[in-house]
Amino acid sequence: GKKSRARRTLGFYRSAFGIKQPYRVLVDGTALQAAANLGLDLRVELPKVLGGRAEVVVTRAVVAELRSLGKEFKSATATAKRLPKLDSTGSGQAGAASASVLSAVENGNARRLCVLTEDAALQQRLAALSGVPLLRFARQVIVLEPPQRDERAAAEGAAEELARANDRRAALAPDAPDAAPKKRKRLREPNPLSCKKKKPAPAPTSSGASGEAGVKKRRRGRRRAAAPAAASEGEAGREPNPQCAQ
């Protein structure tokens, strides 16, 4: 439907030209007069069409043009006076309204404006500009025109050129290290209170080993010497058997 087409169109202008909410819609005298004839409040209708917040603005030249048209445009003139005024290079004199609208959006539409107009000649000139969403009246409703084929091609070409430029910059950039160098831990000085000297273990000496061996040999020798002495004492203490003496 119309809403889905409007979303796709706005998605294109958002991605290709950075036009996003809150939208600023520049209107001319023909748009204000058409809204007055239909009894429409642009500050209410435009957010519905664009699907988001929208601000309606005019140029001083548009206000001057409406004033010069007389009582028939009294309602449109009163509405234009209440709207925020957009600075433009056009003069504030009548007859310069179309030029002021064009000057506000040409050279890349730096202020990211949408334009609503019923001026057929102005619509053609705006359609030739890139990056300017164009709105118009279709019977009793406001519609958003889809981007021109040339506009889409120009946007795609700009995107491809940007991608190539990014590839060139990436190719010329020095290779980044795979991983950041690890920070070395600083060696801390030891705490003198916690550093205690270890006592050296006494090393075994050859004399000590031979001394222990000598002690063991003396003990064994004493045991052997004590055994025959005990045996001789036992024999001496025995009494002779009288039967054997006879």
PDB file of all heavy atoms in Angstrom, residues 8-32:
ATOM      1  N   ARG A   8       9.501   2.437   2.227  1.00  0.00           N
ATOM      2  CA  ARG A   8      10.646   2.048   1.387  1.00  0.00           C
ATOM      3  C   ARG A   8      11.363   3.284   0.842  1.00  0.00           C
ATOM      4  O   ARG A   8      12.605   3.332   0.803  1.00  0.00           O
ATOM      5  CB  ARG A   8      10.166   1.156   0.244  1.00  0.00           C
ATOM      6  CG  ARG A   8       9.766  -0.245   0.680  1.00  0.00           C
ATOM      7  CD  ARG A   8       9.678  -1.174  -0.514  1.00  0.00           C
ATOM      8  NE  ARG A   8       8.650  -0.742  -1.472  1.00  0.00           N
ATOM      9  CZ  ARG A   8       7.388  -1.124  -1.438  1.00  0.00           C
ATOM     10  NH1 ARG A   8       6.966  -1.944  -0.476  1.00  0.00           N
ATOM     11  NH2 ARG A   8       6.523  -0.712  -2.344  1.00  0.00           N
ATOM     12  N   THR A   9      10.578   4.275   0.412  1.00  0.00           N
ATOM     13  CA  THR A   9      11.187   5.494  -0.129  1.00  0.00           C
ATOM     14  C   THR A   9      11.996   6.217   0.942  1.00  0.00           C
ATOM     15  O   THR A   9      13.134   6.652   0.703  1.00  0.00           O
ATOM     16  CB  THR A   9      10.095   6.421  -0.686  1.00  0.00           C
ATOM     17  OG1 THR A   9       9.399   5.753  -1.740  1.00  0.00           O
ATOM     18  CG2 THR A   9      10.700   7.701  -1.226  1.00  0.00           C
ATOM     19  N   LEU A  10      11.430   6.345   2.140  1.00  0.00           N
ATOM     20  CA  LEU A  10      12.158   7.008   3.218  1.00  0.00           C
ATOM     21  C   LEU A  10      13.380   6.204   3.649  1.00  0.00           C
ATOM     22  O   LEU A  10      14.408   6.787   4.019  1.00  0.00           O
ATOM     23  CB  LEU A  10      11.220   7.227   4.408  1.00  0.00           C
ATOM     24  CG  LEU A  10      10.127   8.293   4.208  1.00  0.00           C
ATOM     25  CD1 LEU A  10       9.147   8.273   5.368  1.00  0.00           C
ATOM     26  CD2 LEU A  10      10.745   9.677   4.057  1.00  0.00           C
ATOM     27  N   GLY A  11      13.264   4.880   3.589  1.00  0.00           N
ATOM     28  CA  GLY A  11      14.434   4.052   3.889  1.00  0.00           C
ATOM     29  C   GLY A  11      15.560   4.291   2.908  1.00  0.00           C
ATOM     30  O   GLY A  11      16.744   4.325   3.293  1.00  0.00           O
ATOM     31  N   PHE A  12      15.211   4.487   1.642  1.00  0.00           N
ATOM     32  CA  PHE A  12      16.237   4.793   0.638  1.00  0.00           C
ATOM     33  C   PHE A  12      16.912   6.126   0.931  1.00  0.00           C
ATOM     34  O   PHE A  12      18.150   6.231   0.930  1.00  0.00           O
ATOM     35  CB  PHE A  12      15.604   4.809  -0.753  1.00  0.00           C
ATOM     36  CG  PHE A  12      16.474   5.444  -1.799  1.00  0.00           C
ATOM     37  CD1 PHE A  12      17.549   4.761  -2.338  1.00  0.00           C
ATOM     38  CD2 PHE A  12      16.218   6.748  -2.232  1.00  0.00           C
ATOM     39  CE1 PHE A  12      18.360   5.349  -3.298  1.00  0.00           C
ATOM     40  CE2 PHE A  12      17.022   7.340  -3.186  1.00  0.00           C
ATOM     41  CZ  PHE A  12      18.103   6.639  -3.723  1.00  0.00           C
ATOM     42  N   TYR A  13      16.117   7.159   1.205  1.00  0.00           N
ATOM     43  CA  TYR A  13      16.695   8.485   1.463  1.00  0.00           C
ATOM     44  C   TYR A  13      17.478   8.499   2.777  1.00  0.00           C
ATOM     45  O   TYR A  13      18.460   9.241   2.910  1.00  0.00           O
ATOM     46  CB  TYR A  13      15.586   9.536   1.510  1.00  0.00           C
ATOM     47  CG  TYR A  13      15.107   9.955   0.137  1.00  0.00           C
ATOM     48  CD1 TYR A  13      13.838   9.612  -0.314  1.00  0.00           C
ATOM     49  CD2 TYR A  13      15.927  10.687  -0.716  1.00  0.00           C
ATOM     50  CE1 TYR A  13      13.397   9.986  -1.573  1.00  0.00           C
ATOM     51  CE2 TYR A  13      15.495  11.066  -1.979  1.00  0.00           C
ATOM     52  CZ  TYR A  13      14.236  10.713  -2.406  1.00  0.00           C
ATOM     53  OH  TYR A  13      13.813  11.085  -3.654  1.00  0.00           O
ATOM     54  N   ARG A  14      17.061   7.688   3.730  1.00  0.00           N
ATOM     55  CA  ARG A  14      17.795   7.631   5.000  1.00  0.00           C
ATOM     56  C   ARG A  14      19.167   6.991   4.816  1.00  0.00           C
ATOM     57  O   ARG A  14      20.175   7.505   5.309  1.00  0.00           O
ATOM     58  CB  ARG A  14      16.986   6.865   6.043  1.00  0.00           C
ATOM     59  CG  ARG A  14      17.678   6.785   7.402  1.00  0.00           C
ATOM     60  CD  ARG A  14      16.797   6.147   8.462  1.00  0.00           C
ATOM     61  NE  ARG A  14      16.347   4.810   8.066  1.00  0.00           N
ATOM     62  CZ  ARG A  14      15.119   4.512   7.696  1.00  0.00           C
ATOM     63  NH1 ARG A  14      14.199   5.458   7.650  1.00  0.00           N
ATOM     64  NH2 ARG A  14      14.774   3.288   7.351  1.00  0.00           N
ATOM     65  N   SER A  15      19.206   5.864   4.116  1.00  0.00           N
ATOM     66  CA  SER A  15      20.480   5.159   3.949  1.00  0.00           C
ATOM     67  C   SER A  15      21.398   5.857   2.950  1.00  0.00           C
ATOM     68  O   SER A  15      22.624   5.850   3.126  1.00  0.00           O
ATOM     69  CB  SER A  15      20.213   3.722   3.500  1.00  0.00           C
ATOM     70  OG  SER A  15      19.525   3.709   2.259  1.00  0.00           O
ATOM     71  N   ALA A  16      20.810   6.463   1.908  1.00  0.00           N
ATOM     72  CA  ALA A  16      21.637   7.062   0.858  1.00  0.00           C
ATOM     73  C   ALA A  16      22.027   8.504   1.151  1.00  0.00           C
ATOM     74  O   ALA A  16      23.128   8.940   0.783  1.00  0.00           O
ATOM     75  CB  ALA A  16      20.905   6.989  -0.480  1.00  0.00           C
ATOM     76  N   PHE A  17      21.164   9.256   1.848  1.00  0.00           N
ATOM     77  CA  PHE A  17      21.405  10.688   2.021  1.00  0.00           C
ATOM     78  C   PHE A  17      21.295  11.161   3.472  1.00  0.00           C
ATOM     79  O   PHE A  17      21.440  12.353   3.738  1.00  0.00           O
ATOM     80  CB  PHE A  17      20.423  11.491   1.153  1.00  0.00           C
ATOM     81  CG  PHE A  17      20.518  11.160  -0.316  1.00  0.00           C
ATOM     82  CD1 PHE A  17      19.586  10.324  -0.909  1.00  0.00           C
ATOM     83  CD2 PHE A  17      21.546  11.667  -1.097  1.00  0.00           C
ATOM     84  CE1 PHE A  17      19.661  10.011  -2.255  1.00  0.00           C
ATOM     85  CE2 PHE A  17      21.633  11.361  -2.440  1.00  0.00           C
ATOM     86  CZ  PHE A  17      20.697  10.520  -3.021  1.00  0.00           C
ATOM     87  N   GLY A  18      21.018  10.259   4.407  1.00  0.00           N
ATOM     88  CA  GLY A  18      20.989  10.638   5.813  1.00  0.00           C
ATOM     89  C   GLY A  18      19.782  11.459   6.221  1.00  0.00           C
ATOM     90  O   GLY A  18      19.842  12.191   7.214  1.00  0.00           O
ATOM     91  N   ILE A  19      18.672  11.356   5.498  1.00  0.00           N
ATOM     92  CA  ILE A  19      17.457  12.102   5.847  1.00  0.00           C
ATOM     93  C   ILE A  19      16.638  11.256   6.814  1.00  0.00           C
ATOM     94  O   ILE A  19      16.185  10.166   6.465  1.00  0.00           O
ATOM     95  CB  ILE A  19      16.642  12.445   4.582  1.00  0.00           C
ATOM     96  CG1 ILE A  19      17.474  13.348   3.673  1.00  0.00           C
ATOM     97  CG2 ILE A  19      15.317  13.110   4.945  1.00  0.00           C
ATOM     98  CD1 ILE A  19      16.827  13.645   2.342  1.00  0.00           C
ATOM     99  N   LYS A  20      16.445  11.744   8.017  1.00  0.00           N
ATOM    100  CA  LYS A  20      15.775  10.958   9.048  1.00  0.00           C
ATOM    101  C   LYS A  20      14.974  11.878   9.967  1.00  0.00           C
ATOM    102  O   LYS A  20      14.995  13.107   9.818  1.00  0.00           O
ATOM    103  CB  LYS A  20      16.798  10.162   9.855  1.00  0.00           C
ATOM    104  CG  LYS A  20      17.897  11.013  10.470  1.00  0.00           C
ATOM    105  CD  LYS A  20      18.966  10.148  11.109  1.00  0.00           C
ATOM    106  CE  LYS A  20      20.093  11.008  11.664  1.00  0.00           C
ATOM    107  NZ  LYS A  20      21.137  10.172  12.289  1.00  0.00           N
ATOM    108  N   GLN A  21      14.274  11.276  10.913  1.00  0.00           N
ATOM    109  CA  GLN A  21      13.455  12.033  11.858  1.00  0.00           C
ATOM    110  C   GLN A  21      14.328  12.886  12.775  1.00  0.00           C
ATOM    111  O   GLN A  21      15.460  12.486  13.099  1.00  0.00           O
ATOM    112  CB  GLN A  21      12.623  11.081  12.714  1.00  0.00           C
ATOM    113  CG  GLN A  21      11.600  10.286  11.963  1.00  0.00           C
ATOM    114  CD  GLN A  21      10.699   9.511  12.922  1.00  0.00           C
ATOM    115  OE1 GLN A  21      10.185  10.066  13.894  1.00  0.00           O
ATOM    116  NE2 GLN A  21      10.512   8.239  12.656  1.00  0.00           N
ATOM    117  N   PRO A  22      13.781  14.012  13.194  1.00  0.00           N
ATOM    118  CA  PRO A  22      12.517  14.633  12.778  1.00  0.00           C
ATOM    119  C   PRO A  22      12.664  15.244  11.387  1.00  0.00           C
ATOM    120  O   PRO A  22      13.632  15.969  11.132  1.00  0.00           O
ATOM    121  CB  PRO A  22      12.267  15.692  13.846  1.00  0.00           C
ATOM    122  CG  PRO A  22      13.625  16.045  14.351  1.00  0.00           C
ATOM    123  CD  PRO A  22      14.452  14.800  14.257  1.00  0.00           C
ATOM    124  N   TYR A  23      11.713  14.967  10.504  1.00  0.00           N
ATOM    125  CA  TYR A  23      11.765  15.472   9.142  1.00  0.00           C
ATOM    126  C   TYR A  23      11.438  16.966   9.119  1.00  0.00           C
ATOM    127  O   TYR A  23      10.598  17.436   9.882  1.00  0.00           O
ATOM    128  CB  TYR A  23      10.778  14.718   8.248  1.00  0.00           C
ATOM    129  CG  TYR A  23      11.017  13.223   8.215  1.00  0.00           C
ATOM    130  CD1 TYR A  23      10.159  12.353   8.884  1.00  0.00           C
ATOM    131  CD2 TYR A  23      12.095  12.688   7.527  1.00  0.00           C
ATOM    132  CE1 TYR A  23      10.376  10.981   8.859  1.00  0.00           C
ATOM    133  CE2 TYR A  23      12.323  11.323   7.503  1.00  0.00           C
ATOM    134  CZ  TYR A  23      11.460  10.479   8.171  1.00  0.00           C
ATOM    135  OH  TYR A  23      11.683   9.127   8.151  1.00  0.00           O
ATOM    136  N   ARG A  24      12.092  17.671   8.230  1.00  0.00           N
ATOM    137  CA  ARG A  24      11.797  19.095   8.010  1.00  0.00           C
ATOM    138  C   ARG A  24      11.247  19.224   6.589  1.00  0.00           C
ATOM    139  O   ARG A  24      11.946  18.906   5.617  1.00  0.00           O
ATOM    140  CB  ARG A  24      13.035  19.953   8.189  1.00  0.00           C
ATOM    141  CG  ARG A  24      13.673  19.828   9.565  1.00  0.00           C
ATOM    142  CD  ARG A  24      14.887  20.721   9.684  1.00  0.00           C
ATOM    143  NE  ARG A  24      14.509  22.111   9.776  1.00  0.00           N
ATOM    144  CZ  ARG A  24      15.364  23.129   9.576  1.00  0.00           C
ATOM    145  NH1 ARG A  24      16.621  22.885   9.256  1.00  0.00           N
ATOM    146  NH2 ARG A  24      14.956  24.377   9.695  1.00  0.00           N
ATOM    147  N   VAL A  25      10.012  19.683   6.484  1.00  0.00           N
ATOM    148  CA  VAL A  25       9.331  19.771   5.196  1.00  0.00           C
ATOM    149  C   VAL A  25       9.192  21.241   4.819  1.00  0.00           C
ATOM    150  O   VAL A  25       8.508  22.016   5.523  1.00  0.00           O
ATOM    151  CB  VAL A  25       7.942  19.099   5.249  1.00  0.00           C
ATOM    152  CG1 VAL A  25       7.285  19.140   3.870  1.00  0.00           C
ATOM    153  CG2 VAL A  25       8.070  17.656   5.736  1.00  0.00           C
ATOM    154  N   LEU A  26       9.812  21.602   3.736  1.00  0.00           N
ATOM    155  CA  LEU A  26       9.729  22.961   3.210  1.00  0.00           C
ATOM    156  C   LEU A  26       8.525  23.051   2.269  1.00  0.00           C
ATOM    157  O   LEU A  26       8.417  22.259   1.324  1.00  0.00           O
ATOM    158  CB  LEU A  26      11.022  23.310   2.467  1.00  0.00           C
ATOM    159  CG  LEU A  26      11.089  24.660   1.764  1.00  0.00           C
ATOM    160  CD1 LEU A  26      10.880  25.801   2.759  1.00  0.00           C
ATOM    161  CD2 LEU A  26      12.422  24.808   1.037  1.00  0.00           C
ATOM    162  N   VAL A  27       7.631  23.984   2.527  1.00  0.00           N
ATOM    163  CA  VAL A  27       6.411  24.134   1.718  1.00  0.00           C
ATOM    164  C   VAL A  27       6.441  25.488   1.012  1.00  0.00           C
ATOM    165  O   VAL A  27       7.044  26.451   1.509  1.00  0.00           O
ATOM    166  CB  VAL A  27       5.139  24.011   2.578  1.00  0.00           C
ATOM    167  CG1 VAL A  27       5.047  22.629   3.199  1.00  0.00           C
ATOM    168  CG2 VAL A  27       5.098  25.086   3.658  1.00  0.00           C
ATOM    169  N   ASP A  28       5.783  25.539  -0.151  1.00  0.00           N
ATOM    170  CA  ASP A  28       5.644  26.815  -0.858  1.00  0.00           C
ATOM    171  C   ASP A  28       4.193  27.281  -0.795  1.00  0.00           C
ATOM    172  O   ASP A  28       3.343  26.656  -0.143  1.00  0.00           O
ATOM    173  CB  ASP A  28       6.141  26.696  -2.296  1.00  0.00           C
ATOM    174  CG  ASP A  28       5.265  25.791  -3.147  1.00  0.00           C
ATOM    175  OD1 ASP A  28       4.389  25.099  -2.580  1.00  0.00           O
ATOM    176  OD2 ASP A  28       5.451  25.766  -4.386  1.00  0.00           O
ATOM    177  N   GLY A  29       3.902  28.382  -1.476  1.00  0.00           N
ATOM    178  CA  GLY A  29       2.558  28.955  -1.427  1.00  0.00           C
ATOM    179  C   GLY A  29       1.501  28.054  -2.029  1.00  0.00           C
ATOM    180  O   GLY A  29       0.361  28.010  -1.525  1.00  0.00           O
ATOM    181  N   THR A  30       1.862  27.307  -3.096  1.00  0.00           N
ATOM    182  CA  THR A  30       0.868  26.423  -3.718  1.00  0.00           C
ATOM    183  C   THR A  30       0.460  25.298  -2.773  1.00  0.00           C
ATOM    184  O   THR A  30      -0.714  24.900  -2.738  1.00  0.00           O
ATOM    185  CB  THR A  30       1.426  25.832  -5.014  1.00  0.00           C
ATOM    186  OG1 THR A  30       2.591  25.024  -4.709  1.00  0.00           O
ATOM    187  CG2 THR A  30       1.831  26.926  -5.999  1.00  0.00           C
ATOM    188  N   ALA A  31       1.403  24.779  -1.991  1.00  0.00           N
ATOM    189  CA  ALA A  31       1.088  23.713  -1.044  1.00  0.00           C
ATOM    190  C   ALA A  31       0.217  24.244   0.090  1.00  0.00           C
ATOM    191  O   ALA A  31      -0.749  23.587   0.516  1.00  0.00           O
ATOM    192  CB  ALA A  31       2.376  23.109  -0.501  1.00  0.00           C
ATOM    193  N   LEU A  32       0.520  25.435   0.578  1.00  0.00           N
ATOM    194  CA  LEU A  32      -0.274  26.012   1.652  1.00  0.00           C
ATOM    195  C   LEU A  32      -1.695  26.330   1.184  1.00  0.00           C
ATOM    196  O   LEU A  32      -2.665  26.130   1.931  1.00  0.00           O
ATOM    197  CB  LEU A  32       0.409  27.280   2.174  1.00  0.00           C
ATOM    198  CG  LEU A  32       1.722  27.050   2.947  1.00  0.00           C
ATOM    199  CD1 LEU A  32       2.429  28.375   3.202  1.00  0.00           C
ATOM    200  CD2 LEU A  32       1.466  26.326   4.259  1.00  0.00           C
TER     201      LEU A  32
END
